């Protein structure tokens, strides 16, 4: 099958790969580039485990063809920690016991990150809405909602 | 996955490529790529267009034009499209709304197509490169139409005359049990002078509730006066049965939800 070039930045670093035409971004990230933080849960758009941020917007990498991302700026959960220090959202997920098996966590964190980027002090309803495309089979959601609210509080305290 | 993607800079070239067997247009991909992931091998090639006019929203003099590639998220946040925001926000979760396009929604089979229900109540015009047809005509012929939809145009509704409701079991997102959009013109004393009612999930694609529309004319929106319209709401429906609801259930609850929307 014809290979096509794809080129984008991933968490700030330039990436270039040849992939089969029609390859999903999820597949390209995990199996070609080696960023396994986006997870393949359903490949149908329903679970949100594959969520990534493309040019500032939350997207599902399982339904995005890699070729359509040429020139894009892609962010995943693996790029959040800086110099070994966890991002406030990651810290809050740990502290609030918002992660059990962890499969949904990178997608949840991506969804939460775009929310907090635009709405630093969200209401509980806004958090629920922002996470509504992400399924968790372990936690019952409440700890995840609390973690996002906790991260928002931590951010605003740091800013103060 | 034996799928190739062809990218064109003009709709004209892409339309020519779509004539080939096994090709299909790629909008946001939420249904098209999903089908490929699920093993649908009937499509071997997807075609996309980078023409920027497809992503444009234009509002002027009470008319609106949405390019086919405009996403639900773009509609939901557009200040002049506030009347349509509830219908755009009814589609999927945040990531789906960032991807799901107007064009794709026009082709989405029930239980999907919530935004198209709104467009049907607005009696939108669906444009391709060389034709403009009323949305009802478009919907009736969509299974065999190959031409790329370039956009939709409609008269912007006044906020108070347009209503939209999506009923789902999983909150805040979840697929429709049914969806309803109404566009009602009323006199100063509240008498209905014109009515368009569009229904989602009450057939394999969005449909108009013609009998209920007729029965509403001359009525005021009170429980007594709308009773006949509610009784007629199910006329001509053949709802889908899916894991969310049976056809029987959808028919049973349609008058209840239409009543709530009209009396809201
Ligand atoms: C998890 C999930 C939840 C969803 N929830 C909802 C929901 O709540 N409500 C709802 O209405 N929908 C829902 N959908 C369905 C879908 O996301 C939307 O209907 C969306 O608007 C489809 O648009 P798209 O751009 O992604 O279409 P695509 O997948 O790109 O295309 C769908 C079909 O339309 C054709 N097509 C697309 N654009 C054009 C065009 N311009 N001209 C000609 N043909 C075209 C394609 O060839 C394809 O056959 C959901 C989907 C998923 C995966
Ligand atoms: S793997 Fe993409 S939404 Fe489930
Ligand atoms: S922690 Fe297991 S799916 Fe969410």
């Amino acid at each position: 099958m014809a290979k096509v070039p794809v080129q984008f930045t991933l968490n700030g670093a330039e990436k270039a790969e040849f992939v089969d035409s029609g390859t999903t971004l999820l597949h390209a990230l995990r199996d070609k580039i080696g960023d396994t933080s986006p997870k393949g849960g359903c490949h149908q758009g329903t679970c949100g485990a594959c969520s990534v941020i493309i040019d500032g917007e939350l997207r599902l990498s399982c339904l995005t063809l890699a070729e359509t991302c040429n020139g894009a700026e892609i962010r995943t959960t693996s790029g959040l920690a800086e110099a070994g220090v966890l991002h406030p959202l990651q810290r809050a997920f740990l502290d609030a016991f918002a992660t059990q098996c962890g499969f949904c966590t990178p997608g949840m964190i991506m969804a939460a990150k775009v929310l907090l980027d635009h709405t630093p002090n969200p209401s509980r309803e806004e958090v629920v809405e922002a996470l509504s495309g992400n399924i968790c089979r372990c936690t019952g959601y409440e700890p995840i909602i609390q973690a996002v609210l906790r991260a928002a509080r931590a951010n605003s305290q740091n800013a103060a | 996955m034996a799928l190739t993607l062809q990218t064109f800079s003009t709709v004209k070239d892409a339309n020519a490529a779509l004539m080939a067997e096994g090709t299909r247009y790629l909008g946001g991909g939420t249904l098209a790529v999903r089908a490929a992931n699920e093993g649908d091998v009937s499509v071997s090639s997807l075609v996309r267009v980078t023409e920027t006019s497809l992503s444009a929203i234009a509002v002027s003099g009470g008319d609106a034009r949405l390019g086919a590639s405009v996403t639900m998220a773009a509609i939901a946040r557009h200040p002049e499209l506030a009347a349509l925001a509830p219908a755009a926000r009814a589609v999927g979760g945040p990531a789906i709304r960032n991807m799901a396009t107007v064009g794709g929604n026009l082709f989405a089979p029930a239980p999907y197509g919530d935004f198209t229900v709104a467009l049907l109540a607005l009696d939108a015009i669906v444009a391709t490169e060389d034709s403009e047809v009323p949305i009802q005509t478009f919907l009736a012929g969509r299974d065999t139409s190959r031409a790329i939809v370039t956009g939709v145009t409609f008269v912007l509704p006044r906020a108070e005359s347009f209503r939209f409701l999506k009923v789902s079991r999983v909150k805040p997102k979840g697929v429709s049990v049914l969806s309803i959009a109404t566009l009602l013109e009323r006199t100063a004393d509240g008498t209905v002078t014109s009515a368009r009612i569009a229904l989602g999930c009450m057939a394999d694609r969005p449909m108009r509730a013609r009998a209920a529309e007729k029965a509403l004319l001359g009525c005021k929106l009170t429980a007594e006066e709308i009773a006949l319209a509610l009784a007629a709401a199910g006329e001509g429906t053949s709802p889908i049965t899916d894991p969310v609801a049976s056809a029987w259930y959808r028919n049973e609850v349609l008058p209840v939800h239409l009543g709530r929307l009209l009396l809201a």
Side-chain angles (χ1 to χ4, degrees):
Chain A
M1 176 177 282
K3 300 273 185 196
V4 290
V6 293
Q7 204 172 1
F8 46 71
T9 67
L10 176 64
N11 300 319
E14 290 280 345
K15 300 285 173 189
E17 268 295 342
F18 284 98
V19 299
D20 290 335
S21 184
T23 297
T24 62
L25 177 63
L26 176 64
H27 184 65
L29 287 175
R30 289 182 59 85
D31 301 326
K32 284 287 187 176
I33 291 168
D35 181 350
T36 54
S37 66
K39 308 296 179 205
C42 65
H43 302 272
Q44 294 186 333
T46 34
C47 76
C50 66
S51 301
V52 299
I53 301 174
I54 303 180
D55 293 334
E57 283 191 344
L58 192 69
R59 300 283 177 117
L60 300 172
S61 63
C62 73
L63 298 182
T64 302
L65 298 186
E67 294 152 78
T68 63
C69 298
N70 271 318
E73 193 195 305
I74 301 174
R75 301 215 161 254
T76 63
T77 296
S78 68
L80 286 183
E82 275 178 38
V85 179
L86 293 182
H87 185 275
L89 269 168
Q90 292 172 304
R91 187 76 257 158
F93 267 63
L94 281 179
D95 294 345
F97 301 102
T99 196
Q100 285 185 27
C101 79
F103 199 80
C104 70
T105 309
M108 290 284 182
I109 288 186
M110 286 291 99
K113 179 157 191 318
V114 275
L115 171 71
L116 297 190
D117 285 349
H118 296 113
T119 314
N121 283 305
S123 65
R124 184 190 156 83
E125 287 66 39
E126 285 171 320
V127 173
V128 170
E129 171 61 36
L131 301 178
S132 63
N134 295 69
I135 290 174
C136 176
R137 304 192 68 174
C138 303
T139 65
Y141 299 101
E142 191 55 36
I144 298 178
I145 298 164
Q146 292 307 325
V148 179
L149 291 170
R150 188 191 279 238
R153 278 198 302 273
N155 279 345
S156 60
Q157 273 160 16
N158 287 348
Chain B
M1 185 170 58
L3 190 68
T4 57
L5 175 69
Q6 306 176 64
T7 302
F8 297 93
S9 54
T10 66
V11 171
K12 191 174 187 320
D13 292 345
N15 267 328
L18 279 169
M19 301 307 283
E21 192 69 19
T23 55
R24 194 184 285 179
Y25 186 73
L26 175 69
T30 57
L31 292 173
V33 177
R34 184 169 85 169
N37 287 350
E38 286 174 343
D40 175 357
V41 289
S42 67
V43 175
S44 54
S45 185
L46 290 170
V47 167
R48 71 173 179 144
V49 180
T50 52
E51 215 174 285
T52 51
S53 65
L54 291 179
S55 305
I57 297 178
V59 180
S60 76
D63 292 323
R65 182 183 187 283
L66 309 177
S69 303
V70 168
T71 63
M72 295 301 131
I75 296 165
R77 65 173 170 253
H78 196 285
E80 288 173 288
L81 298 176
L84 285 177
R89 255 187 247 115
V91 174
I96 289 284
R97 287 197 287 278
N98 285 334
M99 303 171 73
T101 66
V102 171
N105 207 266
L106 284 168
F107 287 89
Y112 300 138
D114 295 314
F115 190 74
T116 302
V117 172
L119 290 175
L120 181 58
L122 297 176
D123 211 11
I125 301 290
V126 179
T128 63
E129 203 189 12
D130 48 21
S131 78
E132 291 197 344
V133 295
I135 184 164
Q136 240 191 324
T137 314
F138 166 82
L139 287 171
R142 75 176 182 186
D143 298 344
T144 50
S145 74
R146 311 269 300 172
I148 295 168
V149 170
T150 51
V152 294
T153 52
F154 50 87
V155 177
L156 260 186
R158 284 178 297 112
E160 62 275 20
S161 59
F162 183 69
R163 297 178 189 183
F164 178 85
L165 173 72
K166 169 173 168 172
V167 181
S168 57
R169 293 176 190 264
V170 180
K171 306 266 174 358
K173 75 153 211 174
V175 295
S176 281
V177 171
L178 53 84
S179 49
I180 310 173
T182 62
L183 185 76
L184 303 181
E185 295 304 333
R186 290 186 286 162
T187 57
D189 76 346
T191 307
V192 175
T193 54
S194 88
R196 279 205 293 267
I197 304 175
L199 308 175
C201 295
M202 298 310 292
D204 69 343
R205 65 199 71 195
M207 62 172 286
R208 289 269 293 275
R210 297 272 183 192
E213 290 175 357
K214 231 169 125 187
L216 261 192
L217 294 180
C219 295
K220 293 205 176 76
L221 298 184
T222 63
E224 297 72 41
E225 295 202 24
I226 67 169
L228 274 181
L230 299 189
E235 239 175 71
T237 57
S238 58
I240 56 160
T241 287
D242 65 2
V244 169
S246 66
W248 173 85
Y249 179 81
R250 286 185 158 104
N251 262 333
E252 287 296 306
V253 299
L254 170 64
V256 177
H257 291 295
L258 179 59
R260 284 181 193 162
L261 185 65
L262 291 175
L263 297 176

